[in-house]
Amino acid sequence: MLRPVCPLGAIPRGEAYRWAIDPPVAIFHTDDGEVFAVDDTCTHQDASLADGWLEGCEIECPLHSSRFDLRTGQVDEPPAKRPIRTHRVEVIDGVVHVALSDLEAGRV
Amino acid sequence: MLRIAIVGAAIAGFNAARALRRQSFTGEIVAIGAERHPPYDRPPLSKAFLTGDCSAPDLALADPDEDLDVRWKLGTLAARLDPANRRIVLDDGEEIRADGVIVATGARARRLPGADGLANVHTLRTLDDAIALRAALLGARRLVVIGAGFIGAEVASSARSLGLEVTVVETLPTPLAGPLGTEMGALCARLHGDHGVRLLTGVAVTRLIGAARAEAVELTDGTRLPADVVLVAIGARPNVEWLAGSGLDISGGVVTDEGGATNVPAVVATGDCAMSFNRHAGRAIRVEHWTHAFEQPATAVATLLAGSRRAPDRPDVPYFWSDQYGVRLQFAGHREEGDTVRIVEGDAEQRSFLAVYERHGRPVAVLGMNQPKLFTRWRRQLRAPGPVPTAAP
Ligand SMILES: Cc1cc2nc3c(=O)[nH]c(=O)nc-3n(C[C@H](O)[C@H](O)[C@H](O)COP(=O)(O)OP(=O)(O)OC[C@H]3O[C@@H](n4cnc5c(N)ncnc54)[C@H](O)[C@@H]3O)c2cc1C
Ligand code: FES
């Protein structure tokens, strides 16, 4: 189910928006104008990826610098071992909509 | 090189093994570790592990999907290094021959003289220490923490969230004045009071009262603090005594250049045990932070495999974090006496701010309290290549 989250205009390119649902979701607007949604909490320990460093389609965790590929959720650099969940995004009439993943959330 | 030995099997030793494989070393790797546990992560020991929010399996460093092909010799101490014969003698009598050696023996908690043998007096460095401390806290009402450094503060915070009455005693007038300076040290120390923990500063411990157990902690001003559990958190010492007689320079840690090379060929050192030249600090320092032990082994491995001294492309800008009372502190850079500091964002009263340390008007370090996003930007700027101003004489 697609749920409206926020206007795309509210997230400048290169920035992130933390959608405070449970568990929280981070929405990234890349420099190239792409939009990605992933679980906000790093799978390593306790940090919000929306606070991290966005470069291309990769997000670096602000605590211990794990890197995740926003397209697949895969770990590009440790210490994280487990991928983050990715969620489907559609921008409809300038509004970011997200369909949450069916996979079980959390540190599995 | 056909065989490389890693001594010390914690984060630095584990990442040295990982770096060897990433840098295409196909020979044999033997890793010797004194602890019986497979390599694990220490920082949660004073935080989520102590509060019960994570358990021992969560701390494992190994990734089941990654085969590093290492022969782990755990529960074994390296007793002696004999570089002339390329051999390490273990405490069980075995001898390991190796063409290259990576020293990653880290550090151990400093003890309080006269406290050994008292059943309820703890230090915190290892998983076994943390298991014992957690068990003790669960049955206790009053904790006295000796030392208001990062580990002392984190344990105070964890114990408080478990419902204990906590008192922290610090010899210095201002906690954390060394790493953070007095102004910022004082701001961070306010977190104790915010959360109902009593902080006593500028006062030292004279003795622990009690025979088999410490019943109270006596201070220089005569105060007696009754205690069910005492944590001694007064810093760490590098594990380098086993290298005596090896020819390695071990004054204040294993002395290395910026690339991890020691004064002995084919022996490099990294992590908490190493006293390494640091370009950002402008001198040799012993960095005792996780990120250093996580990142620097790759540099030491490159030096070892190259077989000659080499400087890394990028300076290592020290970084650490600390989680206390639900507040995240992050610090990057290196502060020296005489540096000035000012808050550039946020508000100390709100327990959310970013402070920048400057030397001759140039930023040399940054401290964030609950400011991860802004902090990350500043940290990246500090890491950008460029000369660091020298400290005031
Ligand atoms: C409770 C706690 C909390 C921490 N929290 C933080 C934090 O929040 N942020 C942060 O940045 N840093 C933190 N640190 C610091 C961080 O954990 C260390 O910097 C890091 O563990 C250093 O790794 P290392 O591998 O160099 O050494 P160590 O972790 O000390 O490991 C060295 C290993 O070598 C073994 N060894 C020693 N001598 C021998 C020998 N002769 N033969 C064989 N093995 C030997 C030891 O038993 C040990 O297992 C914390 C440390 C502790 C103890
Ligand atoms: S919490 Fe993200 S890398 Fe550790």
Side-chain angles (χ1 to χ4, degrees):
Chain A
M1 188 188 64
L2 274 177
R3 293 164 65 174
V5 179
C6 68
L8 182 58
I11 319 175
R13 288 189 182 203
E15 292 290 335
Y17 173 78
R18 187 171 182 275
W19 183 20
I21 56 168
D22 184 25
V25 167
I27 295 157
F28 295 95
H29 191 181
T30 70
D31 288 328
D32 293 335
E34 286 185 281
V35 185
F36 297 100
V38 301
D39 276 356
D40 181 53
T41 307
C42 183
T43 58
H44 176 236
Q45 282 163 13
D46 191 13
S48 159
L49 293 175
D51 289 333
W53 183 262
L54 178 63
E55 206 161 293
C57 291
E58 218 179 34
I59 184 70
E60 184 181 287
C61 175
L63 193 53
H64 313 121
S65 306
S66 284
R67 288 213 293 266
F68 299 93
D69 187 324
L70 292 175
R71 295 165 298 193
T72 61
Q74 292 305 312
V75 177
D76 287 344
E77 279 297 328
K81 293 181 254 181
R82 281 158 297 141
I84 41 170
R85 289 192 312 167
T86 56
H87 308 287
R88 188 164 64 86
V89 177
E90 265 183 57
V91 180
I92 304 167
D93 294 335
V95 174
V96 177
H97 287 65
V98 172
L100 293 173
S101 159
D102 299 330
L103 297 172
E104 203 187 323
R107 304 169 156 209
V108 198
Chain B
M1 289 196 194
L2 295 175
R3 184 187 296 136
I4 291 177
I6 301 170
V7 189
I11 185 74
F14 183 84
N15 269 14
R18 180 180 263 160
L20 280 167
R21 293 306 182 210
R22 281 189 168 194
Q23 295 177 35
S24 305
F25 176 70
T26 53
E28 200 184 325
I29 304 175
V30 186
I32 303 143
E35 294 181 72
R36 63 192 168 94
H37 304 285
Y40 64 87
D41 207 19
R42 267 178 233 292
L45 296 181
S46 48
K47 313 177 183 78
F49 184 83
L50 214 50
T51 54
D53 293 315
C54 79
S55 59
D58 298 326
L59 306 180
L61 295 177
D63 180 343
D65 296 335
E66 183 182 39
D67 182 12
L68 295 174
D69 191 16
V70 173
R71 180 155 71 95
W72 298 101
K73 275 197 67 74
L74 301 177
T76 312
L77 262 162
R80 205 153 55 81
L81 173 69
D82 171 9
N85 297 304
R86 305 189 160 225
R87 121 195 125 116
I88 297 165
V89 182
L90 308 184
D91 66 345
D92 63 6
E94 190 184 330
E95 290 186 7
I96 305 245
R97 297 201 174 254
D99 309 306
V101 177
I102 300 167
V103 180
T105 44
R108 63 179 179 278
R110 274 183 65 197
R111 293 174 177 282
L112 194 68
D116 289 339
L118 296 171
N120 57 341
V121 179
H122 297 253
T123 54
L124 177 57
R125 181 78 197 180
T126 66
L127 177 54
D128 290 338
D129 293 342
I131 291 169
L133 179 60
R134 176 166 160 79
L137 292 179
L138 291 181
R141 190 162 66 82
R142 292 160 308 186
L143 168 70
V144 175
V145 177
I146 302 175
F150 292 108
I151 291 178
E154 290 181 355
V155 171
S157 154
S158 297
R160 187 74 194 129
S161 74
L162 292 171
L164 278 83
E165 279 170 34
V166 184
T167 306
V168 180
V169 186
E170 169 62 53
T171 315
L172 294 174
T174 310
L176 302 172
L180 304 184
T182 49
E183 277 171 80
M184 292 301 133
L187 282 184
C188 293
R190 288 208 251 158
L191 294 172
H192 293 291
D194 288 353
H195 294 85
V197 166
R198 183 152 66 123
L199 171 68
L200 306 174
T201 57
V203 59
V205 170
T206 45
R207 63 184 177 127
L208 303 180
I209 297 162
R213 299 173 59 81
E215 270 136 38
V217 177
E218 189 182 79
L219 307 182
T220 36
D221 63 5
T223 311
R224 284 187 176 194
L225 302 168
D228 303 318
V229 181
V230 177
L231 176 78
V232 177
I234 54 174
R237 287 257 162 84
N239 291 319
V240 295
E241 293 79 356
W242 72 281
L243 294 164
S246 66
L248 242 63
D249 183 352
I250 50 170
S251 27
V254 185
V255 177
T256 84
D257 68 4
E258 195 180 7
T262 67
N263 60 325
V264 172
V267 180
V268 295
T270 188
D272 276 23
C273 70
M275 172 69 120
S276 305
F277 179 78
N278 182 289
R279 211 185 308 174
H280 182 79
R283 59 187 170 88
I285 53 176
R286 196 165 70 77
V287 178
E288 293 182 272
H289 307 310
W290 184 92
T291 298
H292 176 81
F294 187 84
E295 290 179 350
Q296 292 311 304
T299 300
V301 161
T303 297
L304 182 65
L305 295 179
S308 59
R309 290 181 178 267
R310 50 186 294 289
D313 313 332
R314 223 175 48 168
D316 167 34
V317 177
Y319 160 72
F320 64 83
W321 80 99
S322 173
D323 293 333
Q324 309 166 17
Y325 305 106
V327 169
R328 174 155 293 157
L329 301 174
Q330 292 174 292
F331 183 93
H334 184 77
R335 190 196 74 88
E336 297 274 359
E337 266 339 293
D339 293 349
T340 58
V341 60
R342 63 194 169 91
I343 292 181
V344 297
E345 188 70 45
D347 180 357
E349 292 310 317
Q350 303 294 320
R351 307 297 185 252
S352 169
F353 67 85
L354 190 102
V356 176
Y357 296 78
E358 287 168 325
R359 196 173 300 156
H360 314 311
R362 296 250 331 257
V364 289
V366 52
L367 168 70
M369 182 184 277
N370 276 341
Q371 285 283 351
K373 188 159 200 153
L374 201 56
F375 175 85
T376 299
R377 296 182 179 187
W378 275 91
R379 182 180 170 207
R380 290 189 83 93
Q381 263 180 41
L382 285 177
R383 282 196 299 191
V388 175
T390 46

